[in-house]
Amino acid sequence: MTKDVIALTQRMPNPAAMLAGLLSGGPDNLVDTTGEGSVIRLCDEEGRPLVCVEAPLLVQVAGEAERLLGATPPSVPYWWTEARATTGIEHAERLAGTFAARLATLADGSAWPPEAARSLAVVKTDGVSVAPTPADPAAGQATVDVLTDKVAVVIQDRPVVAMTAWLSHAYQTAANAKLGLQIVTPPGTTLSPAVRDSLSNWPSRWVLRDERDGYYDGLSGAVLSWQDGMFTPVAPPDATADAPRTQLAASYQEVTAAGERQLAITFRTTHPADERLVLGGALEAIWRELTGEPPAGWGTAEPATLPWSPRQLTDIAYERAPAPTWFVVVGSPDRPGLATIRVKRTKAGVEEYVTLTFGYGPDEEPPVSALPRATELLATRHRLTSMLIQIRKARRDLAVPPHFEGPGVPFAFVLGAEEVHQMPDDRARNTPLSQPPVPLGPKARPALYYPLPGDPSDLSGWQDFERLMRHLKGE
């Protein structure tokens, strides 16, 4: 298991502050690091990592510490330095806490969680050393708690499990090895939407520890047990091969209606591969139309650290091409919004796969009247391929809770102008739906906007959506 301790400081931790933090285990066997690695490891005599310290991040986006930690940081910009202790090894958590406490004291800040960083005193240990980052810098970052031939298991103890650089690397390492990733958390933890999307493929799971049922899947509610090298659902006594059933955890079914909603939008754009291409324009356009302001920040992991800049985002994607690049984009604290962008080079050009979600409270109305105009902008100026818009009953703060949240229902589907043009006859315009599609853009070559019921209390809208999809495919 790992225990994260984070220093949030007004000033960048300088070498003296970092050294003072690293001396939390005493001066014995302290060696300097070499190379350009971004992780320093405090190890015992056998080389087992006790504490991994990541390079400080300069956070220039307001609201990230509050969203992910529930902490109050210094004013923006501030520095975010993580120390990850391996629990189960004596003194490791106290070492990480003392490291963060010293850093916060010397660089004007605070440590999270406060109870883990109350002492500045040297932690008595034997045989602790500072190990330089290995030749492969990533090798020191993705330490998992359990590794089998089926899954990699990581145990997280933070209020919101975010897609940090460390977790992103653990996920990618597991995927490259054709393993699932199972994240185990205590009760009360939530997920960032960016993490939820990464757990959609079996046998990856979010595993909650629970007093009544032992363990359960935070996304499906299935009661779990450790079998054959991974967490798997427990079959109820009356289940049979012909009538399989899933046993649901009691905690998962305890839901209190809060009247909050989310507007969820997924879309894809396809651009010609051109050196003048700037990515992120479609996301910014729809974000402005729906909120009146651009996104606040972005990054290649959480927390999002950089002010919104399509040009800088494009530069990163260009440097990593032809490999795909993943980004997270966040909004301002007063209008919860989060998007992920996956940029991929294909035969058709450069494709952006975007998931975007905004949260609304009981007294707020999603700006559905602005959707036709917003989608028209994407269709006419940003080479929209397709889009699905949903409304769902879910939390305003966008955090994914470990209990049931109803599925979204389709509010509209949009088909890009090129896709409409390629369909034979008049198939795209003449559909089995009760409402005709709304043309977007030039009359000679329009995109089409298909209205759907969009009532979160009525899942029959999915039947209309499925009929539309079958029709468009010619089935």
Side-chain angles (χ1 to χ4, degrees):
M1 178 176 176
T2 56
K3 176 70 175 182
D4 299 341
V5 184
I6 301 168
L8 306 171
T9 60
Q10 190 68 65
R11 294 185 289 110
M12 179 180 180
N14 57 30
M18 293 292 287
L19 181 60
L22 293 171
L23 283 168
S24 57
D28 296 340
N29 301 319
L30 184 65
V31 299
D32 213 345
T33 59
T34 59
E36 299 179 356
S38 60
V39 177
I40 301 173
R41 298 178 301 151
L42 279 75
C43 300
D44 63 14
E45 291 178 327
E46 299 178 4
R48 295 178 301 175
L50 299 175
V51 178
C52 295
V53 180
E54 298 187 5
L57 300 173
L58 178 61
V59 179
Q60 304 175 66
V61 181
E64 285 297 86
E66 294 88 340
R67 178 175 74 91
L68 299 176
L69 303 176
T72 302
S75 58
V76 174
Y78 60 89
W79 293 88
W80 177 306
T81 308
E82 294 207 18
R84 183 166 292 105
T86 302
T87 58
I89 301 178
E90 191 176 5
H91 310 309
E93 187 174 332
R94 289 169 54 203
L95 277 171
T98 300
F99 169 85
R102 291 184 174 192
L103 218 60
T105 300
L106 295 172
D108 298 335
S110 60
W112 177 93
E115 63 273 12
R118 291 176 176 170
S119 174
L120 300 176
V122 170
V123 177
K124 294 183 178 180
T125 60
D126 295 321
V128 175
S129 63
V130 179
T133 303
D136 175 9
Q141 293 183 321
T143 302
V144 300
D145 297 290
V146 178
L147 185 64
T148 73
D149 61 347
K150 296 182 178 69
V151 298
V153 179
V154 296
I155 306 176
Q156 293 274 279
D157 187 10
R158 45 203 301 173
V160 179
V161 177
M163 187 56 80
T164 61
W166 177 84
L167 186 59
S168 176
H169 180 72
Y171 169 77
Q172 192 59 52
T173 301
N176 291 342
K178 298 183 179 180
L179 301 174
L181 180 68
Q182 299 191 335
I183 302 173
V184 182
T185 69
T189 302
T190 62
L191 294 186
S192 163
V195 176
R196 174 186 57 196
D197 296 341
S198 70
L199 298 177
S200 58
N201 295 326
W202 183 90
S204 296
R205 294 183 186 277
W206 174 25
V207 182
L208 269 294
R209 296 197 299 270
D210 185 68
E211 291 184 357
R212 287 176 287 183
D213 291 297
Y215 296 93
Y216 72 92
D217 188 310
L219 298 179
S220 71
V223 175
L224 305 173
S225 66
W226 183 260
Q227 303 176 48
D228 299 325
M230 63 180 179
F231 284 100
T232 58
V234 175
D238 56 347
T240 65
D242 295 331
R245 294 180 55 198
T246 299
Q247 181 179 345
L248 293 181
S251 297
Y252 181 78
Q253 302 177 67
E254 295 174 349
V255 181
T256 302
E260 298 176 317
R261 288 174 291 176
Q262 293 178 2
L263 179 62
I265 303 170
T266 58
F267 65 89
R268 178 165 61 97
T269 62
T270 306
H271 310 274
D274 189 295
E275 62 181 9
R276 295 169 297 178
L277 171 64
V278 177
L279 301 169
L283 176 61
E284 179 174 337
I286 194 169
W287 203 300
R288 284 183 180 273
E289 286 294 316
L290 298 180
T291 69
E293 59 187 19
W298 69 284
T300 56
E302 293 179 290
T305 59
L306 299 169
W308 175 245
S309 171
R311 171 55 64 185
Q312 291 181 353
L313 182 148
T314 302
D315 290 343
I316 293 293
Y318 183 81
E319 290 173 4
R320 297 184 178 182
T325 305
W326 182 91
F327 301 101
V328 62
V329 182
V330 299
S332 59
D334 58 342
R335 169 48 58 219
L338 187 142
T340 62
I341 307 175
R342 181 176 173 82
V343 179
K344 187 176 181 181
R345 181 69 182 269
T346 67
K347 293 180 179 179
V350 179
E351 297 188 356
E352 294 178 279
Y353 300 84
V354 180
T355 66
L356 169 62
T357 307
F358 293 110
Y360 301 91
D363 299 326
E364 298 175 308
E365 287 295 326
V368 294
S369 61
L371 287 169
R373 166 62 181 166
T375 55
E376 185 172 26
L377 279 176
L378 269 61
T380 57
R381 300 184 186 180
H382 299 282
R383 299 180 179 273
L384 178 69
T385 301
S386 62
M387 174 186 290
L388 176 62
I389 303 168
Q390 301 177 61
I391 295 179
R392 63 194 302 254
K393 295 180 179 179
R395 290 171 53 146
R396 182 182 188 272
D397 64 5
L398 308 183
V400 181
H403 62 68
F404 176 76
E405 282 190 319
V409 294
F411 183 86
F413 178 75
V414 185
L415 197 61
E418 182 63 25
E419 284 61 39
V420 171
H421 178 72
Q422 290 179 359
M423 286 197 175
D425 304 322
D426 228 8
R427 182 191 299 168
R429 292 177 176 83
N430 297 325
T431 75
L433 302 182
S434 59
Q435 289 184 270
V438 178
L440 305 174
K443 292 183 179 180
R445 201 181 179 92
L448 294 178
Y449 179 99
Y450 300 89
L452 293 162
D455 181 358
S457 301
D458 184 4
L459 297 181
S460 64
W462 283 112
Q463 297 176 6
D464 290 341
F465 178 74
E466 290 173 2
R467 289 168 57 207
L468 176 62
M469 292 299 101
R470 288 196 299 267
H471 172 79
L472 294 177
K473 293 176 183 178
E475 298 176 356

